[in-house]
């Protein structure tokens, strides 16, 4: 009886799961393994929201495997040592793993390759639709501009989804942590409570949301995805981050849907692949400027704290930051304008903003978060690096009635209409009653700070 190990990482699903499929095809029995990485537990990557969501994902994956006669084996330790030890223990003749993009994932793959040699099989296009590095411009190892990348990305043939296993035979006697212990371990390592309105994790919930999203017409997505109050985006990002959903399956299904809304949705998924291929080629971009601009970041700690707490005095910025704290998720337009406010108005280092987002976002993802932050900061792949998003213009365009602000900033809930975006214009007595802060900085002054710091004026 031959045995293979399917080492799960950011691919916590059984549908369109090439790693599990390949392990099942290669051997009589499979050990589905997830390692609670000691290097991640207790680090900034083990934040309360993602730890709670991960516990849901692992429980759900275990239940799906049990329904097929198997189970998930969860162990704690170093992933490489754990996989190598388990291979020796079970006499496994193969270890299957999805290719990752971060420096951490690449180092893990290198160590596994050294330890396992030919036993290791790494599968591309599991975490992304198009494998990082599969399309490159002439003479370069990755695309630095989105539009030409998109053209090539669209032309790539989509792989067929891997068939969902009916049975997963697991060898007897392989020890692992109990699921209740896994949840407790994650909760204690995360140190802190999850956000009150965190979505439930796991493939089952992800697929339910996916069916609801694809089952409704996508027509409005193109026109409404920037509408802050309309909440007209898929909210599938955490399920994609943990791999509860296959991006390939999602893109194939969306590409089959007619209309500009579906095409716009597919384009957003191409952005995800784009950032992944940048990080795979430049893992240091998680912490270093991709394109240094000589910035001398200037925001002080008090300003950073006001931004984090949603007390900047700019209602649309504060609404975004409070949505993040409450849901562990923020609308993309709000991510753009809150990030721009930090880096281009307060002139705060993008790393401080990215770290705060990573601490709270349930979809917090090194590739998407750090490279979107760099895009907004103008140190990344934006071809217009010095543009500044004025929060009042953003508010007028994307929250024209002020509903988003009233939803998230209760102090301003009684202010009607778009006047909610400029509380400083209300009469002084009304303003005093609202208990809402004065603007932290004058917008023009803030922009001057950024332009001077960057040596633009
Ligand atoms: P939809 O509009 O329904 O889009 C579908 C999917 O496309 C998303 O789930 C996501 O996987 C992908 N996508 C959409 N926009 C982008 C984008 N700009 N870049 C990369 N992928 C995209 N996304 C993350 O998944 N994790 C992060 O940590 C993250 N941090 C961000 C930080 C900043 C400063 C900014 C500006 C954006 C960030 N994004 C991040 C991208 C984007 O905001 C979210 O993916 C999106 O808001 C998720 O909501 P949704 O699933 O409803 O998106």
């Amino acid at each position: 009886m031959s045995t293979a190990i399917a080492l799960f990482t950011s691919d916590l699903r059984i549908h369109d799961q090439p790693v599990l499929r390949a392990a099942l095809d290669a051997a009589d029995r499979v050990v589905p393994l997830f390692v609670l990485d000691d290097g991640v537990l207790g680090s900034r990557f083990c934040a309360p929201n993602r730890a709670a969501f991960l516990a849901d994902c692992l429980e759900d994956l275990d239940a799906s495997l049990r329904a097929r006669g198997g189970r998930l084996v969860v162990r704690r330790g170093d992933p490489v040592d754990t996989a190598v030890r388990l291979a020796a223990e079970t006499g496994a003749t193969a270890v299957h793993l999805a290719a990752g993009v971060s420096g951490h994932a690449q180092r893990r793959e290198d160590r596994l390759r050294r330890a396992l040699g030919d036993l290791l099989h790494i599968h591309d296009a599991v975490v992304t639709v198009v494998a990082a590095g599969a399309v490159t411009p002439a003479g370069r190892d990755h695309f630095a501009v989105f539009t030409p990348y998109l053209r090539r990305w669209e032309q790539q043939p989509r792989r067929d989804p891997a068939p969902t296993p009916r049975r997963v035979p697991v060898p007897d006697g392989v020890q692992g942590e109990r699921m209740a212990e896994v949840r407790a371990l994650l909760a204690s390592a995360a140190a802190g409570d999850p956000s009150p309105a965190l979505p439930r994790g796991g493939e089952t919930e992800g697929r339910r949301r996916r069916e609801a999203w694809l089952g409704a017409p996508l027509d409005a997505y193109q026109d409404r995805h920037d509408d802050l109050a309309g909440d007209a985006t898929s909210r599938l990002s955490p399920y994609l981050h943990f791999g509860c959903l296959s991006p390939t399956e999602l893109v194939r299904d969306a590409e089959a849907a007619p209309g500009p809304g579906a095409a716009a949705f597919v384009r957003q998924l191409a952005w995800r692949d784009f950032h992944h291929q940048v990080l795979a080629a430049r893992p240091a971009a998680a912490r270093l400027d991709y394109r240094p601009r000589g910035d001398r970041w200037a925001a002080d700690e008090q300003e950073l704290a006001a931004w984090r707490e949603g007390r900047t005095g700019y209602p649309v910025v504060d609404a975004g930051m409070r949505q993040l704290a409450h849901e562990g998720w923020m609308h993309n337009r709000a991510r753009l304008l809150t990030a721009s406010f930090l880096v281009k108005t307060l002139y705060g280092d993008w790393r401080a903003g990215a770290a705060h987002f990573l601490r709270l976002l349930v979809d917090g993802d090194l590739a998407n978060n750090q490279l979107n932050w760099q895009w907004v900061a103008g140190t990344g792949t934006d071809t217009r690096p010095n543009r500044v998003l004025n929060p009042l213009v953003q508010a007028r365009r994307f929250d024209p009635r002020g509903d988003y602000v009233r939803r998230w900033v209760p102090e301003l809930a009684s202010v009607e209409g778009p006047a909610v975006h400029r509380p400083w214009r209300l009469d002084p007595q009304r303003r005093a009653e609202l208990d809402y802060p004065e603007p932290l900085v004058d917008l023009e002054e803030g922009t001057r700070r950024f332009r001077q710091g960057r040596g633009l004026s």
Side-chain angles (χ1 to χ4, degrees):
M1 293 280 265
S2 57
T3 302
I5 294 174
L7 177 52
F8 284 81
T9 52
S10 301
D11 49 356
L12 303 177
R13 62 178 185 266
I14 57 160
H15 292 86
D16 187 30
Q17 177 31 304
V19 171
L20 178 61
R21 187 68 262 166
L24 285 164
D25 290 346
D28 304 310
R29 301 173 310 187
V30 166
V31 185
L33 172 67
F34 184 85
V35 183
L36 289 169
D37 187 338
D38 272 335
V40 174
L41 287 176
S43 79
R44 70 195 169 102
F45 293 107
C46 187
N49 287 340
R50 284 196 306 285
F53 197 92
L54 174 61
D56 290 349
C57 295
L58 296 175
E59 275 173 15
D60 187 64
L61 181 58
D62 182 52
S64 299
L65 292 166
R66 283 182 189 277
R68 288 159 176 80
R71 69 200 160 87
L72 183 65
V73 174
V74 180
R75 288 191 176 179
R76 181 182 175 174
D78 171 75
V80 176
D81 295 345
T82 308
V84 171
R85 211 173 308 122
L86 186 63
E89 187 185 315
T90 57
T93 50
V95 175
H96 294 267
L97 170 74
V101 298
S102 66
H104 180 77
Q106 292 186 33
R107 283 190 295 279
R108 183 175 60 201
E109 281 168 28
D110 288 345
R111 287 181 57 213
L112 280 168
R113 214 174 273 119
R114 280 200 296 277
L116 294 168
D118 291 347
L119 256 57
L120 183 68
H121 303 271
I122 295 185
H123 299 267
D124 283 332
V126 179
V127 169
T128 51
V129 180
V130 171
V135 292
T136 52
R140 295 207 55 188
D141 61 355
H142 72 289
F143 275 92
V145 179
F146 177 67
T147 312
Y149 175 76
L150 176 65
R151 257 182 259 123
R152 293 280 299 283
W153 184 90
E154 284 171 336
Q155 288 159 6
Q156 289 302 296
R158 309 285 177 238
R159 67 167 173 77
D160 289 332
T164 309
R166 295 220 177 112
R167 285 198 48 75
V168 181
V170 175
D172 294 333
V174 182
Q175 303 292 320
E177 306 275 353
R178 290 201 347 265
M179 275 303 150
E181 284 162 8
V182 170
R183 183 174 287 279
L185 195 64
L186 281 165
S188 70
D193 292 330
S195 295
L198 198 66
R200 180 207 300 236
E203 183 180 17
T204 306
E205 177 65 14
R207 288 189 80 78
R208 190 187 66 72
R209 289 175 182 234
R210 173 191 182 283
E211 300 322 318
W213 174 251
L214 292 176
L218 292 178
D219 304 352
Y221 181 81
Q222 189 181 26
D223 299 330
R224 293 193 48 225
H225 72 270
D226 267 330
D227 173 2
L228 284 164
D231 211 359
T233 67
S234 71
R235 288 187 177 242
L236 294 178
S237 51
Y239 303 94
L240 286 160
H241 169 69
F242 285 93
C244 304
L245 292 179
S246 151
T248 297
E249 216 187 352
L250 193 57
V251 162
R252 283 177 69 114
D253 291 347
E255 280 175 340
F265 179 65
V266 169
R267 210 161 36 245
Q268 291 312 108
L269 290 157
W271 269 108
R272 181 174 178 274
D273 277 17
F274 173 72
H275 292 311
H276 278 69
Q277 57 97 45
V278 174
L279 190 67
R282 299 285 180 276
R287 48 180 211 292
L288 302 178
D289 291 351
Y290 178 78
R291 288 203 173 101
R293 305 277 178 199
D295 287 298
R296 296 182 306 270
W297 305 106
D300 65 30
E301 193 39 53
Q302 254 180 332
E303 289 170 334
L304 286 172
W307 175 81
R308 286 189 200 104
E309 290 160 19
R311 290 186 295 100
T312 66
Y314 288 96
V316 75
V317 173
D318 294 344
M321 299 308 290
R322 296 191 199 185
Q323 178 178 28
L324 175 63
H326 190 78
E327 296 191 343
W329 185 87
M330 199 200 289
H331 192 286
N332 180 58
R333 178 51 54 183
R335 295 186 204 205
L336 286 165
L337 69 88
T338 54
S340 178
F341 187 81
L342 180 73
V343 293
K344 302 258 175 86
T345 302
L346 299 179
Y347 197 36
D349 192 332
W350 65 265
R351 277 158 282 251
H356 180 70
F357 270 33
L358 263 192
R359 188 142 47 78
L360 287 172
L361 280 175
V362 65
D363 63 23
D365 179 287
L366 216 53
N368 285 346
N369 190 57
Q370 311 305 87
L371 291 166
N372 268 298
W373 267 96
Q374 293 228 42
W375 191 89
V376 176
T379 57
T381 57
D382 188 3
T383 49
R384 291 170 56 202
N386 299 323
R387 78 172 101 186
V388 178
L389 299 184
N390 178 318
L392 299 178
V393 175
Q394 294 285 306
R396 191 173 65 230
R397 287 185 61 194
F398 304 115
D399 187 29
R401 291 178 305 278
D403 295 335
Y404 181 69
V405 165
R406 277 184 293 278
R407 186 180 305 157
W408 291 110
V409 187
E411 305 95 289
L412 300 177
S414 63
V415 183
E416 286 173 12
V420 76
H421 291 304
R422 296 170 191 261
W424 53 89
R425 283 195 180 163
L426 298 171
D427 75 66
Q429 196 192 332
R430 181 86 198 281
R431 220 168 119 193
E433 285 163 12
L434 291 176
D435 189 26
Y436 180 73
E438 293 293 320
L440 191 59
V441 287
D442 174 74
L443 291 181
E444 280 183 19
E445 174 52 36
T447 303
R448 241 193 322 274
R449 197 197 278 193
F450 159 67
R451 292 188 64 82
Q452 268 171 11
R454 194 165 270 189
L456 298 170
S457 53

